[in-house]
Amino acid sequence: MSIRVSHVHGEHLAVQAPNGTEILRYVYRPDPDPFESPKPYAHPVRTLSGRTVTGYRPNDHRWHKGVQMTASHLSGQNFWGGNSYVPGRGYLALPGRVGSMRHDGFAALTAGSERLAFTEELTWVANGGQEWAREERGIEVHSLDEEAGAWVLDWSIRLTNIRTEPLVFGSPTTAGRELAGYTGLQWRGPRDFTGGRVLAPGAGSGAADAGELMGSQGPWLAFTAEHDETDGHSTLVFAHAPENLDETSAIHESHWFVRAEPIPTVAFSWAFFEEFTLEPGESFGYRYRLVIADGAWDRDRITAHLTTLPW
């Protein structure tokens, strides 16, 4: 048996596992509310057994939608969505600062029996309509392993500044709010993931408190939690491609933004502590991996599984 890919043109792509479970829906016609920074997102994301591991428009942050690419502070604009952090004033609803990401089309799409891969073209549009950046996004679904109870979602970005001025990337922390360095590829977990366990390589024998890993660096970080309604756990592993952490090739350092309380969320932050600048015509790229698994995986199991997944 093989995966099944369906495409509702103008709406979304969906991937169904051999057992019939829809494990991924990638929505490229985003919700229309401009305050939520309309952009493509992945939701629902499910394990092979059908457990949902993403949250969508939670009442605490309506702009959190599954897995999505974001930029919380970008040259005065907010491509994260919702309230904007203003130094000395806190979080304010500033609709004139919230940008969006426009789906322009698919440059390539290949659906095989064991893998879906597509390249999406997007434009980052500032509030008011000015086009600021072109993005080439790569999405791949692969390595479905029924015995392990896991599958892989790869997500890459290549972003080019099309303005005549530099683009300056930052975060609430670069603007003065301590340990709020969120930006970049973000996952929002479902409500029952609140209070989940967080693991990272070398972080002791058991799970670490999310606060211990906030702002840290490393090749991977995992989040595991027990579901409501069904008896079982799920684990998500967030992993960097090797070049993301290579100081000789990365344009800037990446750090983890992670919370288990009061909300479950993880982001590959590309501007946690320091701003960085993308000059006109210049580009940068990152590659990320999410392993979506049934069960409460420990560090040894995570490490062993990651070694079976070459980049």
Side-chain angles (χ1 to χ4, degrees):
M1 297 180 67
S2 60
I3 66 171
R4 179 179 179 182
V5 177
S6 60
H7 187 184
V8 178
H9 289 271
E11 298 282 347
H12 68 262
L13 288 157
V15 180
Q16 190 178 85
N19 64 4
T21 298
E22 184 184 286
I23 57 173
L24 174 74
R25 179 168 293 197
Y26 183 80
V27 181
Y28 61 89
R29 183 182 181 183
D31 302 322
D33 188 340
F35 187 63
E36 297 177 11
S37 184
K39 63 175 75 70
Y41 58 87
H43 175 82
V45 178
R46 298 187 179 96
T47 67
L48 292 179
S49 71
R51 294 170 180 150
T52 301
V53 295
T54 48
Y56 171 74
R57 294 193 77 243
N59 58 32
D60 50 82
H61 296 80
R62 294 296 187 192
W63 47 93
H64 287 186
K65 296 169 184 178
V67 183
Q68 57 182 353
M69 186 61 69
T70 73
S72 58
H73 287 230
L74 177 54
S75 295
Q77 288 279 296
N78 171 2
F79 288 84
W80 173 277
N83 297 328
S84 300
Y85 181 77
V86 180
R89 300 176 65 192
Y91 286 99
L92 300 176
L94 302 173
R97 289 201 185 183
V98 181
S100 61
M101 298 178 192
R102 185 185 70 219
H103 167 84
D104 293 329
F106 293 109
L109 194 158
T110 303
S113 62
E114 298 181 348
R115 178 183 295 260
L116 166 69
F118 63 83
T119 302
E120 182 183 16
E121 296 177 333
L122 304 99
T123 300
W124 291 31
V125 183
N127 193 282
Q130 186 180 16
E131 297 182 354
W132 277 16
R134 294 270 192 266
E135 180 189 343
E136 182 180 275
R137 178 176 301 179
I139 302 287
E140 294 191 33
V141 174
H142 62 94
S143 300
L144 277 71
D145 187 332
E146 293 184 349
E147 183 176 352
W151 63 278
V152 173
L153 170 64
D154 284 347
W155 190 309
S156 67
I157 178 176
R158 184 163 185 81
L159 194 71
T160 302
N161 180 1
I162 61 173
R163 298 179 77 196
T164 58
E165 304 172 28
L167 287 174
V168 181
F169 292 78
S171 68
T173 293
T174 67
R177 183 168 183 250
E178 186 178 0
L179 296 180
Y182 52 83
T183 194
L185 185 64
Q186 182 231 0
W187 162 80
R188 172 62 193 254
R191 188 72 61 185
D192 50 7
F193 271 48
T194 305
R197 300 170 66 243
V198 182
L199 301 95
S205 59
D209 179 84
E212 298 175 28
L213 295 171
M214 178 68 85
S216 67
Q217 295 178 287
W220 62 263
L221 181 145
F223 198 112
T224 182
E226 185 173 10
H227 290 274
D228 291 338
E229 299 185 18
T230 60
D231 297 328
H233 293 73
S234 294
T235 299
L236 284 89
V237 184
F238 305 87
H240 282 282
E243 68 269 19
N244 291 6
L245 301 176
D246 184 347
E247 294 182 1
T248 64
S249 62
I251 187 173
H252 39 81
E253 294 184 340
S254 293
H255 297 79
W256 295 114
F257 177 85
V258 53
R259 284 181 176 157
E261 299 276 1
I263 63 172
T265 185
V266 173
F268 298 82
S269 177
W270 53 34
F272 197 113
F273 297 108
E274 297 180 355
E275 293 182 340
F276 72 91
T277 299
L278 189 66
E279 297 293 339
E282 289 191 352
S283 304
F284 73 85
Y286 277 109
R287 290 192 299 154
Y288 304 106
R289 173 164 291 169
L290 280 69
V291 179
I292 295 93
D294 283 300
W297 287 23
D298 60 20
R299 188 173 291 103
D300 290 343
R301 186 173 182 183
I302 292 167
T303 300
H305 192 76
L306 288 176
T307 61
T308 70
L309 303 169
W311 287 95

